[in-house]
Amino acid sequence: MKIAVEVKISNNGFVFNSKTGDSFNLNPFGLELINTIREGKDLDIIKMEMLERYDVDELTFERDFYEFCALLKHHQILEQGNPLDFN
């Protein structure tokens, strides 16, 4: 997964997509997740880091992560590729 080149993300979680003109505000956890995606980490690494850092079980994390990624794809924040690719 990669963040689309048209997308700019500020340090306080403001996201702007110059391609669509859409803007969003992320909560701190969403900002942390999108930064890990931006760093090019794959799902296994992201999951391992989040499970160590937060009190969440693996199934709940995966469900929330896939839902978050689906929203990012819907709003063209993530580059579009295989819709089932979360790596």
Side-chain angles (χ1 to χ4, degrees), residues 11-13 25-35 50 54:
N11 291 335
N12 64 0
N25 285 308
L26 297 171
N27 65 24
F29 186 68
L31 179 60
E32 187 173 350
L33 278 180
I34 208 167
N35 281 333
M50 296 302 158
Y54 296 101

Side-chain angles (χ1 to χ4, degrees), residues 5 16 49 53 66 77 79:
V5 294
F16 178 69
E49 289 178 357
R53 192 170 300 144
Y66 291 138
I77 303 299
E79 289 183 354

Side-chain angles (χ1 to χ4, degrees), residues 1-15:
M1 292 183 298
K2 290 186 177 178
I3 304 297
V5 294
E6 300 88 3
V7 173
K8 304 299 178 211
I9 304 166
S10 73
N11 291 335
N12 64 0
F14 181 77
V15 179

Side-chain angles (χ1 to χ4, degrees), residues 68-81:
F68 182 69
C69 289
L71 283 171
L72 294 177
K73 287 182 178 186
H74 175 76
H75 292 288
Q76 301 178 37
I77 303 299
L78 291 179
E79 289 183 354
Q80 301 297 310

Side-chain angles (χ1 to χ4, degrees), residues 1-3 28-58 60-69 72 78 85-87:
M1 292 183 298
K2 290 186 177 178
I3 304 297
F29 186 68
L31 179 60
E32 187 173 350
L33 278 180
I34 208 167
N35 281 333
T36 60
I37 293 169
R38 188 165 42 179
E39 293 168 0
K41 296 178 180 176
D42 68 17
L43 173 59
D44 290 335
I45 299 295
I46 295 170
K47 181 170 57 177
M48 183 181 66
E49 289 178 357
M50 296 302 158
L51 293 178
E52 288 176 1
R53 192 170 300 144
Y54 296 101
D55 184 23
V56 61
D57 64 84
E58 187 173 339
T60 301
F61 172 77
E62 286 183 1
R63 183 195 65 217
D64 292 348
F65 183 78
Y66 291 138
E67 184 178 309
F68 182 69
C69 289
L72 294 177
L78 291 179
D85 180 19
F86 291 96
N87 287 310

